[in-house]
Amino acid sequence: MEKYLKKEEGLMEQQAPKLSIILLSEELEKVHAAALVGSVAAMSGMEVNFFVTMNGLVPFLKESVASKNFKTGTVGKALVEKAQPFYELIENGKEMGNLKVYACALAMDVKGWKKEDLIDLFDDVIGVTAFFGISQGGMIITM
Amino acid sequence: MSEVTKKVDARGSFCPGPLMELIKAVKGSQVGDVIEVLSSDAGSAKDIPEWVKKMGHEMVYSEKEGDYWKIAVRKMK
């Protein structure tokens, strides 16, 4: 049994040790899907990094979360009413796995946003070069 | 041998709520413990066994009881 488990672990590591998600969109459906995929991946033993950039940062502003002001389509409206909020999913991923969230320095700068303007999920504000270093060798998906 | 150590009632919670509740319970358990989760979410009934397999734990049972699933997992490491 022990041997079997070790083999399983090895397989898992080979499959996908690292997942990085570039989140560009402020559409709640995409943000929620990214949060869901990322948090479950982190809880399944993968290293997960979020790079939140451009309008993707908007739903993460304290102001947006406090007023529940999100850009929603048909499914998004129901998500706001019924589902666990996206930031709670990410929080769970951080608590129970290796999940980091980074904000894009460019988008923050042009809008004059500070890390304090964002909800308390972000590990750092970084540039593209730093993100490449962090995501190197893993899978990158864009949403 | 498959005595349930901990029970989690995640009925009414949407995907991936029941899985997350289970993961929390597994993290807070000892090796050998059996955690039973109740879920009314059909996606979780498929997701949970996948996660269990991937993480090297053991499925004890997964049964449908009326409009919800009763799934038990043994923590293996």
Side-chain angles (χ1 to χ4, degrees):
Chain A
M1 195 67 198
E2 190 67 32
K3 201 177 162 190
Y4 174 72
L5 289 178
K6 285 212 175 104
K7 200 178 154 202
E8 280 276 281
E9 268 180 15
L11 277 178
M12 195 181 81
E13 280 162 17
Q14 270 170 27
Q15 265 176 20
K18 188 154 55 171
L19 171 69
S20 296
I21 301 173
I22 302 178
L23 181 59
L24 284 158
S25 176
E26 65 183 312
E27 287 168 43
L28 188 69
E29 289 85 350
K30 290 189 182 175
V31 178
H32 196 97
L36 207 155
V37 169
S39 59
V40 173
M43 290 184 201
S44 305
M46 290 170 76
E47 177 193 331
V48 178
N49 302 297
F50 278 85
F51 187 61
V52 187
T53 182
M54 303 302 168
N55 289 352
L57 284 163
V58 176
F60 290 89
L61 290 169
K62 280 178 182 161
E63 203 187 322
S64 308
V65 170
S67 57
K68 284 194 175 184
N69 182 18
F70 303 118
K71 189 177 178 189
T72 55
T74 314
V75 175
K77 285 191 185 78
L79 287 175
V80 174
E81 283 167 27
K82 296 177 183 171
Q84 195 182 10
F86 67 90
Y87 46 85
E88 273 184 33
L89 293 174
I90 296 175
E91 223 165 63
N92 283 332
K94 286 180 94 94
E95 278 166 20
M96 285 175 286
N98 182 5
L99 190 160
K100 297 270 192 314
V101 186
Y102 301 100
C104 164
L106 167 66
M108 296 290 281
D109 284 351
V110 293
K111 286 300 293 179
W113 291 329
K114 297 269 165 284
K115 195 163 169 258
E116 304 83 69
D117 296 322
L118 300 169
I119 52 171
D120 194 24
L121 275 183
F122 288 80
D123 294 278
D124 210 350
V125 178
I126 63 171
V128 174
T129 311
F131 176 69
F132 277 145
I134 288 162
S135 59
Q136 193 174 20
M139 187 176 13
I140 303 181
I141 57 174
T142 308
M143 297 184 92
Chain B
M1 64 163 264
S2 56
E3 210 169 294
V4 174
T5 324
K6 200 183 278 181
K7 288 190 183 192
V8 181
D9 191 348
R11 285 176 293 182
S13 161
F14 293 96
C15 174
L19 174 64
M20 289 201 168
E21 292 296 321
L22 171 71
I23 296 173
K24 279 182 205 167
V26 168
K27 295 246 166 176
S29 298
Q30 307 289 320
V31 172
D33 284 359
V34 174
I35 298 105
E36 183 189 81
V37 56
L38 304 182
S39 165
S40 51
D41 168 55
S44 299
K46 294 206 167 65
D47 259 20
I48 289 173
E50 276 300 322
W51 181 83
V52 168
K53 198 174 123 195
K54 191 169 179 185
M55 300 304 283
H57 300 303
E58 187 184 287
M59 286 293 296
V60 182
Y61 53 79
S62 173
E63 296 157 0
K64 194 159 187 221
E65 302 241 332
D67 58 353
Y68 67 93
W69 282 264
K70 206 164 86 176
I71 303 164
V73 176
R74 179 178 286 110
K75 179 168 175 157
M76 298 303 284
K77 55 184 184 181

